[in-house]
C-alpha cells in the first residue's frame, strides 16, 4: 500500500505549532550556553560538528518561514506519510546548505533570527496553506530552486517535530550531560509519524508494534489476529524507536541491550529499518 492510499492520523494543529516552537526554544537555550570547545565537538552525523548541527536546527525550522514566503504551490503533491521516505534524496543538498549556514553566522544570531522569523510567519498563516517542502530546509543560496513537493502547513509542521526531536537526540549524544529535554507533544508526534511510516512500508496486521505511551500500529503481512494477545509483538520506548527508525541504532544492538522486546516469528523488523536516514 502506498502512503498516498493510507490516510494519515489527525494531529491537533494548535498543539503541533506550540510543540515546534517549544522544542526549538529548548534547543536554543541549551546551545546558548555552549563553549567554543563544545561547538567544535564531533557528532554522529558524519563530519558535522555541534556547530553545524546547531545551524541545522535553525535551517529546518526556518524552512517553514521560507515556505510561507514563497508563492503558494498550485496543488498538494506530498502526502504526510510520503515525507519520511523522501528525505534521503535531498540529504546531500541539505548537508551543503547546513555547512554554508553554519559558516555565515554564529549560533546565537541564527537562533534569534529564526525565532523572530518563524513566530511572525506563523502568526497569520492558515493550516491549509500549501507550502513547498523540498528541497527542504535549504539555505538562502538555494531558495530559488524548484521544490519537488508541497504539503499543507499543518502537515509540514508535523514533519518539523521529527526533525527537531531526532536532532535533539543527536545533540544530547554529542554532548553527554547536556540533557536537552523533549517537549512531550513534539516527542509524541515524532513517534507517531514514524510508527505510521512503518505501517506504510510493511502493510499488514500480523505484527503489533507498541511504543507506549504514544503509538500502537499493526504491520507486516501474515495472519491477522482478531482477539487476545497478538502472536507477534514488538515493544520499545519512544526514543529507542526514533533511533531505530532513523538509523541511529541497529535492530540487533537494541535487542542485545534490552531496549526492544520482540516475540513471534514475524517480530523481526531488521529488514524494514531504518525508515529514513
Amino acid at each position: 500500500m502506498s502512503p498516498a492510499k493510507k490516510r494519515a492520523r489527525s494531529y491537533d494543529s494548535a498543539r503541533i505549532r506550540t510543540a515546534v516552537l517549544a522544542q526549538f526554544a529548548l534547543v536554543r537555550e541549551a546551545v546558548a550556553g555552549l563553549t567554543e570547545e563544545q561547538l567544535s565537538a564531533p557528532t554522529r552525523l558524519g563530519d558535522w560538528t555541534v556547530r553545524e548541527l546547531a545551524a541545522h536546527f535553525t535551517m529546518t525550522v526556518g524552512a517553514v518561514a521560507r515556505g510561507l514566503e514563497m508563492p503558494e504551490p498550485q496543488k498538494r503533491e506530498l502526502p504526510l506519510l510520503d515525507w519520511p521516505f523522501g528525505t534521503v534524496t535531498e540529504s546531500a543538498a541539505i548537508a551543503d546548505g547546513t555547512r554554508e549556514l553554519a559558516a555565515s553566522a554564529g549560533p546565537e544570531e541564527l537562533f534569534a533570527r529564526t525565532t523572530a522569523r518563524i513566530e511572525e510567519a506563523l502568526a497569520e498563516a492558515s493550516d491549509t496553506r500549501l507550502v513547498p517542502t523540498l528541497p527542504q530546509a535549504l539555505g538562502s543560496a538555494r531558495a530559488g530552486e524548484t521544490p519537488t513537493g508541497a504539503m499543507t502547513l499543518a502537515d509540514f509542521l508535523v514533519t518539523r517535530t521529527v526533525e527537531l526531536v531526532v536532532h535533539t537526540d543527536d545533540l544530547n549524544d554529542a554532548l553527554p550531560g547536556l540533557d536537552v529535554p523533549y517537549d512531550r507533544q513534539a516527542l509524541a508526534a515524532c513517534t507517531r509519524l514514524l510508527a505510521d511510516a512503518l505501517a506504510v512500508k510493511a502493510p499488514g496486521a500480523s505484527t503489533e508494534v507498541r511504543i507506549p505511551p504514544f503509538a500502537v500500529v499493526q504491520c507486516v503481512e501474515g495472519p491477522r489476529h482478531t482477539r487476545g494477545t497478538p502472536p507477534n509483538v514488538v515493544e520499545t520506548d519512544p526514543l529507542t524507536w526514533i533511533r531505530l527508525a532513523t538509523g541511529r541504532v541497529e535492530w540487533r544492538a537494541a535487542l542485545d541491550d534490552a531496549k526492544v522486546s520482540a516475540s513471534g516469528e514475524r517480530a523481526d523488523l531488521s529488514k524494514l529499518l531504518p525508515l529514513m536516514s
Side-chain angles (χ1 to χ4, degrees), residues 52-235:
E52 273 99 30
L53 177 55
H56 187 68
F57 278 105
T58 68
M59 177 179 290
T60 195
V61 172
V64 179
R66 282 191 293 276
L68 290 171
E69 292 164 0
M70 294 175 68
E72 184 172 7
Q74 294 300 306
K75 63 179 181 179
R76 175 175 176 171
E77 299 175 349
L78 187 66
L80 178 58
L81 290 177
D82 273 347
W83 177 81
F85 307 108
T87 56
V88 66
T89 62
E90 304 298 330
S91 59
I94 290 173
D96 289 343
T98 294
R99 296 187 188 93
E100 293 173 9
L101 188 61
S104 71
E108 183 176 357
E109 179 182 341
L110 292 176
F111 273 88
R113 191 166 66 203
T114 303
T115 298
R117 192 175 181 185
I118 186 63
E119 289 178 349
E120 180 180 358
L122 289 179
E124 302 296 333
S126 166
D127 288 335
T128 58
R129 203 275 197 190
L130 294 179
V131 293
T133 62
L134 297 173
Q136 62 175 353
L138 298 184
S140 58
R142 290 171 171 77
E145 290 189 3
T146 302
T148 56
M151 58 172 53
T152 65
L153 174 61
D155 282 352
F156 192 44
L157 288 171
V158 176
T159 73
R160 300 305 87 187
T161 68
V162 177
E163 294 277 359
L164 285 166
V165 169
V166 169
H167 290 308
T168 296
D169 189 49
D170 291 333
L171 182 58
N172 284 333
D173 176 79
L175 298 173
L178 187 64
D179 295 329
V180 182
Y182 300 89
D183 174 81
R184 180 179 174 82
Q185 186 62 44
L187 183 61
C190 175
T191 301
R192 289 166 181 158
L193 180 55
L194 293 176
D196 289 344
L198 174 65
V200 164
K201 187 173 185 179
S206 72
T207 302
E208 185 164 283
V209 179
R210 302 169 178 171
I211 313 161
F214 299 131
V216 177
V217 296
Q218 293 185 348
C219 58
V220 183
E221 290 184 349
R224 174 187 293 270
H225 69 275
T226 58
R227 63 179 63 185
T229 302
N232 306 286
V233 177
V234 174
E235 185 164 338

